[in-house]
Amino acid sequence: MEAGTGSFDIVGTAPKFRGQGIGRLLMLEAIKDRSYGKYVIETYDTNHSAIRLYEKVGFREFKRVPEKNKRAGFDYAVYLGLEVD
């Protein structure tokens, strides 16, 4: 990862709290610190709710990497990035 880039490894909420905007608020709070000029996150093409969450925060997809093990349950690893001012 290039200098000045932060990453989110795992973003999750308990099932009973999903859909309430908590994940979005947690990510926005972490980004508010502005320690980095860019953030990245990885997910899978089958994780549509995660992709929607990240896009609501402002992340945009910049790369897809095919999964070689078709038994993994997904076709691509999806990378999204966010540039902050």
Side-chain angles (χ1 to χ4, degrees):
M1 194 171 332
E2 57 188 74
T5 301
S7 68
F8 288 91
D9 290 329
I10 298 173
V11 177
T13 54
K16 72 179 188 176
F17 297 109
R18 290 183 186 151
Q20 298 179 34
I22 296 168
R24 181 178 164 274
L25 290 173
L26 288 170
M27 292 183 77
L28 289 171
E29 187 64 27
I31 292 167
K32 190 168 73 173
D33 178 37
R34 304 277 190 230
S35 295
Y36 300 101
K38 181 178 181 181
Y39 292 87
V40 296
I41 195 162
E42 173 190 357
T43 190
Y44 304 108
D45 63 325
T46 55
N47 195 345
H48 304 288
S49 59
I51 292 171
R52 278 193 306 275
L53 166 64
Y54 305 148
E55 288 177 340
K56 284 181 185 177
V57 172
F59 283 80
R60 296 294 171 250
E61 181 180 329
F62 67 88
K63 179 169 75 171
R64 283 187 179 228
V65 177
E67 173 55 43
K68 294 180 176 126
N69 179 0
K70 293 302 176 187
R71 293 188 300 174
F74 61 93
D75 294 323
Y76 295 93
V78 179
Y79 294 84
L80 300 99
L82 171 70
E83 303 231 2
V84 293
D85 300 3

